[in-house]
Amino acid sequence: MKLVTNNSQPAHYSKQDSTQISSMVDGELTPTEMSEQITPLLSGGREREQWQHYHLVRDLLQHQLPDNINPNFTQNVMKRLESEPTVLAPAGRGRAVVKQIVGVGLAASVAAVALLTSYNLNVPNDSQADQMVADAQLNQKTLKKVEHWERDPKLEQWNKSPNLDQFSPYLANHAAYSAGTGNQGFMPYARVVGYSSGK
Amino acid sequence: MIRILFLFVLFAPLTLWADESEKVDAGTLLFAMSQAMHEVNYKGTFTYRRADQMQGIEITHGVKGQREFERMVTLNGPAREIVRDDENVRCEFQHDDPFMVEQSGYPHPFAFSDPAQLNQIEQFYKISGDKSAPIAGFDNRKITLMPKDNYRYGYRFWIATDAPHLLLRSEMVTGSGVILEQMLFTSLKIMESPPDALDTAVQLKQTPSNNISSKSGSFDWHVTQLPPGYRRETERFSSMVTGDNHRQKVEHHLYSDGFSSVSLFIELINTKQEDFHPVASQMGAVSLVSYLVGEHKIVVVGEVPLATAELIAHSIKRVGKH
């Protein structure tokens, strides 16, 4: 996937343009609407740029940031291999064993590649896992030092999905003052803009 | 066996040196980034993702004279815009009246002024650095801060290795590495002169009617228990238009460990206990706790684990008269 670098004067998009392009990428338009929209898209530099942005975003969501590896991945690869027609000759018990070993090896290799790929995105390797265990043990010690408070079971009954817009002024005030530390760049403000109840 | 021991003795100091060098490198880059984000003129588009929501946001940042300007506007979803300068943050959201937050005039004890401050941060975060693939055309280095306890989240910062060391991507993660929120630049342009700074300044002069400003007074509440590393950054009074849609005097305390921060708001409200719906919610990286203490509404909000927000919310004591 190629990342888009904007070397020209940054574009200003109208909200209508943004909504249309977003809808196109998300596949929300009918074929007729798509046809009407695609012509200006291909000829307009700004629209093309935003089209690329949205595709990058979609790719990011769909491919680049898996939350988990499919736990049945290895089994699925094995199943697929077993269903493949045999093309080697001559047939025999030895070949079946070899196929099984190769199959297990191939599935394990593919799983390992998936694990390694995923490690770069989210999943820790062994040394990190060891560190996490060590950190967890440290956590327990730390918690014992400071924790005199036990969670009130009543908290479970409290609203877990409030209307965020009601809390926007609190979030904005918090962002404005926490951003003063400067250590997170503009992230506190991005949080205020990015948070929405979506109503 | 002797060979292995020999190799260990030979290379162990180098490993220690590498760790120390990496730490210095991480500290230098973090310091440079925190400075650059305030001092550089740039414009770009980034994605902000939390849980199952994602938004494209256009950012314009500029410095004119000694004054910093910034504008962020959503590119999809509900229209939301923030315009800020050194003194104020103006927020305009699609379904709400605009409001302004005053942010000037208080010290920032945790703001990096020296890379050596990383030693302080290191008490509560394990810091490491790593190479990473280019982002938006910029070579960068990934700096990771993982929490050493359950009272804060971890951070991953992808910072441009070449000056001016802008932040290109960031993630907030749990202690086990699960991503809570993510920001990633898809395009970024560094500019010599401030982009649209004058337009931004004009917008900020249009003060909304429900302006929020600091007020003096004696503080009536304090927190009896804070997680390790957190300390009170500031306390102030605000006149805020809150969820009940009326202006209200609110006591505001901010606590931080330098990266993670959480705010406590206390306000007198005219709502009966039975009509109030308490909140204990975790939304992406932000935790929110709200409940009533007598006639006072307590709101704790911040990018911290829910346990931290709950601990603070339930360890407040009223110390003033009234």
Side-chain angles (χ1 to χ4, degrees), chain A residues 106-171:
Chain A
L106 180 58
S109 300
V110 177
V113 169
L115 275 167
L116 286 170
T117 308
S118 183
Y119 153 69
N120 286 328
L121 303 169
N122 212 7
V123 179
N125 60 18
D126 286 348
S127 63
Q128 284 178 313
D130 291 341
Q131 185 58 50
M132 282 161 55
V133 171
D135 288 347
Q137 289 168 346
L138 177 64
N139 288 350
Q140 290 305 312
K141 290 176 187 172
T142 312
L143 285 174
K144 281 177 188 169
K145 281 183 188 171
V146 300
E147 191 69 66
H148 304 296
W149 170 78
E150 289 186 6
R151 193 170 195 262
D152 189 336
K154 282 190 298 186
L155 287 167
E156 280 300 318
Q157 310 298 321
W158 290 11
N159 186 3
K160 293 182 177 63
S161 304
N163 181 351
L164 270 183
D165 290 342
Q166 284 184 1
F167 293 95
S168 288
Y170 302 102
L171 195 56

Side-chain angles (χ1 to χ4, degrees), chain A residues 17-38:
Chain A
D17 289 343
S18 298
T19 305
Q20 285 172 343
I21 292 173
S22 176
S23 300
M24 289 169 74
V25 173
D26 293 335
E28 293 171 1
L29 299 184
T30 64
T32 308
E33 290 170 328
M34 194 75 174
S35 173
E36 288 170 359
Q37 298 295 329
I38 200 76

Side-chain angles (χ1 to χ4, degrees), chain A residues 3-13 15 18-19 22 49-50 53-54 56-58 60-61 64-65 67 119-122 124 131-132 135 138-140 142-143 146-149 151-152 155 157-162 164-199, chain B residues 33-34 37-38 42-43 46-50 53-55 58 72 74-76 78-80 82 84 93 95 99 101-103 106 108 110-112 126 134 136-137 148-151 170 172 176-177 181-187 189 196 212 214 225 228 233 236 240-242 254 258-259 261-263 265 267 278-281 283 285-286 288 291 297 301-303 310-311 314:
Chain A
L3 289 162
V4 180
T5 307
N6 181 7
N7 291 321
S8 61
Q9 183 68 24
H12 296 275
Y13 312 113
K15 288 185 173 61
S18 298
T19 305
S22 176
E49 186 182 89
Q50 195 176 13
H53 287 163
Y54 275 109
L56 174 65
V57 164
R58 190 199 60 181
L60 192 73
L61 272 185
Q64 203 178 348
L65 293 170
D67 290 325
Y119 153 69
N120 286 328
L121 303 169
N122 212 7
Q131 185 58 50
M132 282 161 55
D135 288 347
L138 177 64
N139 288 350
Q140 290 305 312
T142 312
L143 285 174
V146 300
E147 191 69 66
H148 304 296
W149 170 78
R151 193 170 195 262
D152 189 336
L155 287 167
Q157 310 298 321
W158 290 11
N159 186 3
K160 293 182 177 63
S161 304
L164 270 183
D165 290 342
Q166 284 184 1
F167 293 95
S168 288
Y170 302 102
L171 195 56
N173 268 267
H174 168 70
Y177 280 79
S178 66
T181 65
N183 298 342
Q184 282 192 56
F186 56 79
M187 280 310 294
Y189 301 109
R191 219 164 271 136
V192 178
V193 179
Y195 269 70
S196 165
S197 65
K199 73 180 181 181
Chain B
M33 181 270 284
S34 69
M37 299 311 289
H38 292 289
Y42 60 90
K43 186 161 187 172
F46 66 89
T47 59
Y48 174 82
R49 177 197 179 206
R50 73 165 178 98
Q53 287 188 18
M54 186 172 63
Q55 288 198 299
E58 185 182 75
M72 286 190 210
T74 54
L75 297 174
N76 64 313
R80 296 166 79 86
I82 279 186
R84 74 173 183 90
F93 303 150
H95 299 285
F99 59 90
V101 180
E102 185 184 308
Q103 65 169 1
Y106 93 101
H108 307 317
F110 274 117
F112 277 148
K126 178 179 166 54
K148 292 182 176 177
D149 64 24
N150 294 332
Y151 292 111
S170 80
M172 188 180 288
S176 57
E181 71 169 16
Q182 182 195 55
M183 180 282 293
L184 170 67
F185 267 107
T186 56
S187 71
K189 181 177 170 61
D196 302 334
I212 296 169
S214 299
Q225 200 170 15
E233 282 235 20
R236 67 187 188 116
M240 288 172 53
V241 176
T242 60
L254 178 75
F259 280 92
S261 57
V262 57
S263 282
F265 300 92
E267 62 184 279
V279 172
S281 177
M283 296 151 294
V286 172
L288 176 65
Y291 73 114
K297 178 182 174 184
V301 63
E303 60 280 10
E310 289 177 347
L311 174 66
H314 289 86

Side-chain angles (χ1 to χ4, degrees), chain B residues 43-113:
Chain B
K43 186 161 187 172
T45 305
F46 66 89
T47 59
Y48 174 82
R49 177 197 179 206
R50 73 165 178 98
D52 58 346
Q53 287 188 18
M54 186 172 63
Q55 288 198 299
I57 298 172
E58 185 182 75
I59 182 170
T60 308
H61 184 270
V63 180
K64 192 168 187 182
Q66 297 296 314
R67 208 168 166 207
E68 182 185 358
F69 301 92
E70 190 170 87
R71 176 177 179 262
M72 286 190 210
V73 58
T74 54
L75 297 174
N76 64 313
R80 296 166 79 86
E81 180 182 28
I82 279 186
V83 181
R84 74 173 183 90
D85 64 7
D86 293 335
E87 298 175 349
N88 295 296
V89 184
R90 177 193 162 93
C91 306
E92 195 159 336
F93 303 150
Q94 188 171 6
H95 299 285
D96 294 310
D97 293 331
F99 59 90
M100 188 174 278
V101 180
E102 185 184 308
Q103 65 169 1
S104 62
Y106 93 101
H108 307 317
F110 274 117
F112 277 148
S113 56

